[in-house]
């Protein structure tokens, strides 16, 4: 697959055997011959992978009936310096079964072998100077040219970004039936940098009380994240989900199981009301708590 700033822009697999665009602007901006050439290039790489993983399995003395994975990652990073874009870093590396196997040192124009089994490949490739010259030239020039071209094509979409859709829900804990697991989920956002926090009485809970999936990719190039906290079912508390992202003018705040009285005290940024599966006694307790908030003049912000 091809990635631009962590967003998938194209892919190829051995079933479709075709290079396919994943972004509308890729399909619109690049001519049909680009996809035809790309398809042929990916097919040749597929054949290369099949040959070389067989070589590696024999070199590692691994059983052919077991599952083994050969991965290759290549690309470049650039830095914006005023109006000028400059090459920052080139990446060309291989891993076998999840461990580093071989990588290209762009500054020294040679391959680095972190494991003994990679030494024969390093010697073979380093003995072909033109290959290393081509690899260095591709990373520093051709890759950067493509990166700048794709950035120009995607500029408007990437600049505007995609705002998160936020959901809050509760289920009974699998580990302890007397507890509820409150979950906050934000999905569909781009770029990936965002803030998702769970609050209790408008105070952020510490990380050691929170279970998090971390930021994960969606199939469409956007991202998602979930955070959860377990509470006693009869615990008298008001929890909310707080989400901030660069595409939002103000944070999104969603309350778990708060009655209308409480929601009225919140800013207009609280965009939804999600009802958790909590017993009626807890509901009454929250209502009583809201009255206390109103009498003391405490407002959640």
């Amino acid at each position: 697959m091809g990635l631009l700033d962590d967003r998938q822009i194209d892919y190829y697999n051995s079933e479709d055997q075709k290079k396919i665009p994943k972004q509308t602007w890729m399909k619109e901006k690049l001519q049909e011959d680009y996809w035809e050439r790309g398809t042929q290039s990916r097919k040749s790489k597929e054949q290369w992978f099949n040959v070389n993983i067989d070589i590696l399995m024999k070199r590692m003395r691994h059983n052919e009936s077991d599952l083994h994975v050969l991965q290759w990652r290549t690309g470049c990073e650039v830095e914006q310096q005023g109006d000028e874009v400059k090459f920052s870093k080139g990446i060309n590396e291989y891993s076998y079964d999840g461990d580093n196997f071989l990588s290209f040192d762009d500054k020294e124009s040679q391959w680095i072998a972190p494991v003994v089994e990679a030494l024969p490949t390093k010697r073979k490739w380093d003995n072909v100077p033109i290959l290393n010259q081509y690899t260095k030239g591709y990373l520093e020039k051709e890759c950067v040219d493509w990166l700048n071209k794709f950035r120009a094509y995607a500029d408007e979409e990437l600049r505007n970004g995609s705002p998160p859709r936020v959901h809050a829900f509760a289920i009974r804990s699998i580990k302890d039936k007397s507890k509820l697991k409150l979950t906050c989920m934000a999905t569909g956002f781009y770029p990936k940098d965002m803030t998702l926090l769970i609050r209790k009485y408008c105070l952020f809970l510490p990380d050691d009380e929170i279970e998090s999936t971390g930021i994960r990719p969606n199939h469409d190039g956007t991202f998602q994240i979930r955070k959860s906290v377990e509470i006693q079912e009869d615990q008298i508390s008001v929890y909310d989900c707080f989400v901030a992202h660069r595409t939002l003018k103000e944070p999104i705040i969603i309350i778990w199981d708060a009655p209308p009285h409480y929601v009225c005290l919140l800013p207009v940024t609280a965009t939804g009301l999600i009802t958790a599966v909590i017993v009626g006694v807890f509901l009454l307790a929250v209502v009583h708590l809201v009255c206390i908030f109103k009498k003391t003049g405490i407002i959640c912000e």
Side-chain angles (χ1 to χ4, degrees):
M1 68 177 71
L3 301 176
L4 175 65
D5 293 338
D6 298 318
R7 171 170 277 192
Q8 188 177 353
I9 58 176
D10 66 46
Y11 75 96
Y12 171 96
N13 62 49
S14 57
E15 292 183 357
D16 296 319
Q17 292 199 330
K18 186 176 181 181
K19 186 176 181 179
I20 300 172
K22 286 291 288 182
Q23 302 296 328
T24 303
W25 54 265
M26 284 284 287
K27 186 175 182 180
E28 292 175 347
K29 298 290 186 180
L30 296 165
Q31 302 300 318
E32 186 62 32
D33 63 334
Y34 168 85
W35 300 106
E36 291 175 358
R37 292 196 310 271
T39 294
Q40 294 306 314
S41 175
R42 301 281 173 97
K43 282 184 176 179
S44 67
K45 287 182 174 66
E46 180 186 346
Q47 295 172 357
W48 183 92
F49 267 81
N50 289 333
V51 170
N52 281 276
I53 196 168
D54 184 61
I55 292 173
L56 286 181
M57 288 170 63
K58 288 182 172 63
R59 189 181 297 175
M60 299 284 192
R61 297 178 181 177
H62 284 163
N63 193 322
E64 292 186 5
S65 63
D66 295 333
L67 176 67
H68 298 284
V69 180
L70 172 62
Q71 293 172 293
W72 173 43
R73 187 170 77 107
T74 184
C76 53
E77 297 176 5
V78 297
E79 290 182 353
Q80 188 87 33
Q81 298 180 356
D83 296 332
E84 191 175 359
V85 174
K86 288 190 175 182
F87 171 82
S88 173
K89 180 182 179 182
I91 304 158
N92 196 332
E93 58 190 17
Y94 297 85
S95 72
Y96 179 74
D97 285 351
D99 295 324
N100 292 335
F101 182 79
L102 198 66
S103 62
F104 185 73
D105 185 335
D106 182 57
K107 293 181 180 179
E108 301 296 330
S109 294
Q110 65 179 5
W111 292 91
I112 306 298
V115 294
V116 174
E117 290 83 0
L119 287 174
T121 306
K122 167 185 164 55
R123 297 190 192 101
K124 180 179 179 180
W125 291 0
D126 280 344
N127 286 334
V128 186
I130 193 172
L131 173 63
N132 289 1
Q133 291 170 13
Y134 169 80
T135 302
K136 181 179 176 68
Y138 172 82
L139 295 176
E140 296 183 354
K141 182 65 172 64
E142 187 175 348
C143 179
V144 172
D145 290 344
W146 279 113
L147 175 57
N148 289 330
K149 183 179 293 188
F150 290 151
R151 288 177 69 236
Y153 290 159
D155 185 59
E156 183 175 354
E157 182 178 351
L158 296 179
R159 184 175 63 248
N160 293 338
S162 176
R165 301 187 302 274
V166 183
H167 309 278
F169 51 91
I171 60 173
R172 194 168 300 282
S173 171
I174 297 175
K175 301 175 183 177
D176 187 342
K177 298 300 182 181
S178 69
K179 291 183 178 181
L180 292 174
K181 185 175 184 179
L182 307 182
T183 298
C184 230
M185 175 181 177
T187 186
F189 57 89
Y190 184 89
K192 69 187 295 185
D193 296 327
M194 68 98 66
T195 299
L196 186 153
L197 299 166
I198 296 177
R199 306 190 303 179
K200 179 180 179 180
Y201 296 142
C202 309
L203 298 176
F204 300 120
L205 294 179
D207 290 340
D208 59 1
E209 294 183 20
I210 301 297
E211 177 185 336
S212 176
T213 61
I215 295 178
R216 297 179 174 181
N218 288 323
H219 71 283
D220 59 357
T222 62
F223 296 89
Q224 65 164 280
I225 183 174
R226 293 188 184 203
K227 289 190 176 181
S228 305
V229 61
E230 289 195 354
I231 65 167
Q232 290 293 333
E233 186 174 8
D234 58 352
Q235 185 175 333
I236 303 175
S237 304
V238 177
Y239 291 86
D240 67 51
C241 177
F242 178 97
V243 174
H245 190 254
R246 82 172 200 188
T247 58
L248 302 171
K249 293 182 179 179
E250 296 179 323
I252 293 175
I253 301 171
I254 293 183
I255 316 302
W256 276 293
D257 206 65
H261 310 78
Y262 189 85
V263 175
C264 291
L265 295 175
L266 291 166
V268 293
T269 50
T271 59
L273 176 62
I274 306 297
T275 302
V277 185
I278 304 179
V279 295
V281 175
F282 179 62
L283 291 174
L284 294 173
V286 174
V287 173
H288 175 66
L289 182 63
V290 170
C291 295
I292 295 174
F293 268 116
K294 294 173 76 174
K295 287 179 181 179
T296 56
I298 298 175
I299 296 178
C300 215
E301 295 181 349

